[in-house]
Amino acid sequence: MLRRSLENRDAQTRQLQNAVTNVEKHFGELCQIFAAYVRKTARLRDKADLLVNEINEYANTETPNLKQGLKNFADEFAKLQDYRQAEVERLEAKVVEPLKAYGTIVKMKRDDLKATLTARNREAKQLTQLERTRQRNPSDRHVISQAETELQRATMDATRTTRHLEETIDNFEKQKIKDIKTIFSEFITIEMLFHGKALEVYTAAYQNIQKIDEEEDLEVFRNSLHPSDYSSRLDIVRANSKSPLQRSLSAKCVSGTGQMSTCQLRKDQQAVDDEDDEDLDVTEEEN
């Protein structure tokens, strides 16, 4: 009967030990993978900073509209990296550190398991010794009684440590489930906050790129290739840009100038004719 009870408690202890080992294994893996995820995110932030610098350098070499559009895009992209830095810090504090703390927690539970196993082994050893004593000295009541007393003490100690271990592992399981819910909820919240901000920033960055005036920048580029033709093209553009009223006024000015010139010619011709008539009259009087 006692042997069977001892075997049942051993099976229970092994189950508790397996629960602790399972947490130690998988929480350790989760901690390493989440830590690698955070490091990758931090490296992505660093690469994005390099990209921002390169975009700004390139923008300084380009035409005005393209330059402004690229600089605005770089500003938005740099703002996104600030949000990414906050993401990295939050993941480290809310996800990686709590998982890392389970290394210490598991170590404490293993110490409890070790104490329980020690008590169980002592109980098993005392039981085996009692059985041998009964076989070798069945008539020696003093020795048998002493062995029974030692077994009773070992059993009480094993029972006490087993009960303590059960309570400890029960609290461990309860805390584990609560921590898993908290850790993964924090992870999802942090990622949602970042990606929500990222959507806003990317939308603004997209709009800045779309605002770039291609035709105006192309005209600037063409003018840089043929600077001597710039004035003539400018005159043509200005002429084409005049309103109908302005063109009408210009035409009237030209027409008015022509009429004034014709009138002046007629006056000059009349004066010449008058002078000729006067000369003719004087000649006839002298004769």
Side-chain angles (χ1 to χ4, degrees):
M1 183 70 178
L2 185 59
R3 177 70 66 179
R4 182 178 298 174
S5 176
L6 184 61
E7 290 175 353
N8 290 337
R9 287 202 297 271
D10 285 343
Q12 185 183 33
T13 303
R14 284 193 297 271
Q15 184 177 357
L16 296 175
Q17 187 175 15
N18 290 337
V20 173
T21 301
N22 188 61
V23 171
E24 181 182 31
K25 175 186 176 182
H26 292 290
F27 272 52
E29 290 293 331
L30 286 171
C31 183
Q32 290 182 6
I33 294 172
F34 271 121
Y37 180 92
V38 173
R39 289 194 299 272
K40 290 283 188 181
T41 304
R43 282 199 287 271
L44 181 59
R45 173 207 59 206
D46 294 339
K47 292 296 183 183
D49 289 339
L50 294 176
L51 181 58
V52 168
N53 293 335
E54 178 58 29
I55 291 173
N56 278 317
E57 289 184 12
Y58 168 57
N60 290 329
T61 67
E62 274 296 347
T63 48
N65 271 280
L66 184 55
K67 176 181 178 179
Q68 189 61 45
L70 287 174
K71 282 189 171 292
N72 290 339
F73 173 86
D75 290 342
E76 294 294 338
F77 202 57
K79 186 190 301 182
L80 179 62
Q81 305 323 307
D82 294 336
Y83 292 128
R84 201 184 298 276
Q85 174 62 26
E87 176 196 15
V88 168
E89 293 174 357
R90 290 169 182 165
L91 287 174
E92 185 70 32
K94 300 292 186 179
V95 177
V96 177
E97 287 300 322
L99 287 171
K100 191 183 296 184
Y102 263 81
T104 303
I105 295 173
V106 167
K107 184 178 180 181
M108 294 172 60
K109 302 311 169 189
R110 284 202 174 280
D111 291 340
D112 292 337
L113 279 168
K114 185 178 180 181
T116 301
L117 290 174
T118 300
R120 293 283 177 83
N121 291 336
R122 188 182 303 113
E123 181 186 21
K125 182 178 179 181
Q126 291 298 328
L127 178 60
T128 301
Q129 186 174 349
L130 175 61
E131 291 174 346
R132 288 178 180 175
T133 300
R134 285 174 175 172
Q135 290 176 357
R136 293 176 182 176
N137 302 302
S139 59
D140 193 342
R141 294 301 307 166
H142 176 70
V143 175
I144 293 175
S145 178
Q146 187 177 3
E148 288 176 346
T149 301
E150 292 295 329
L151 175 59
Q152 186 177 7
R153 290 175 182 173
T155 301
M156 290 177 61
D157 186 47
T159 302
R160 180 182 58 81
T161 56
T162 299
R163 187 178 298 112
H164 174 71
L165 179 64
E166 289 176 358
E167 293 175 357
T168 300
I169 298 301
D170 185 77
N171 292 332
F172 173 74
E173 284 292 312
K174 185 187 299 183
Q175 189 64 41
K176 177 197 72 175
I177 296 171
K178 182 179 178 181
D179 288 342
I180 281 291
K181 288 178 64 178
T182 301
I183 290 169
F184 278 86
S185 295
E186 289 287 352
F187 174 75
I188 294 169
T189 301
I190 292 167
E191 291 297 291
M192 286 176 64
L193 285 173
F194 170 75
H195 288 290
K197 290 294 185 181
L199 183 59
E200 294 178 8
V201 173
Y202 278 130
T203 300
Y206 178 83
Q207 291 172 349
N208 285 324
I209 291 299
Q210 293 302 309
K211 288 178 182 178
I212 296 173
D213 192 329
E214 302 171 36
E215 293 300 327
E216 187 172 338
D217 274 10
L218 185 58
E219 184 65 23
V220 172
F221 175 73
R222 288 169 178 169
N223 291 337
S224 67
L225 292 179
H226 305 287
S228 59
D229 296 338
Y230 178 71
S231 297
S232 61
R233 285 203 302 271
L234 184 60
D235 292 339
I236 294 172
V237 170
R238 287 175 177 172
N240 291 334
S241 65
K242 285 183 179 180
S243 66
L245 178 60
Q246 289 174 322
R247 288 196 292 270
S248 176
L249 290 174
S250 298
K252 287 181 179 179
C253 290
V254 172
S255 175
T257 302
Q259 291 173 359
M260 290 174 63
S261 300
T262 303
C263 182
Q264 185 64 39
L265 289 173
R266 287 178 179 175
K267 287 182 179 180
D268 292 343
Q269 183 64 42
Q270 183 65 36
V272 171
D273 292 341
D274 291 342
E275 290 177 358
D276 290 341
D277 290 340
E278 290 177 0
D279 291 340
L280 181 58
D281 293 338
V282 170
T283 304
E284 289 179 352
E285 289 176 358
E286 289 178 352
N287 293 329

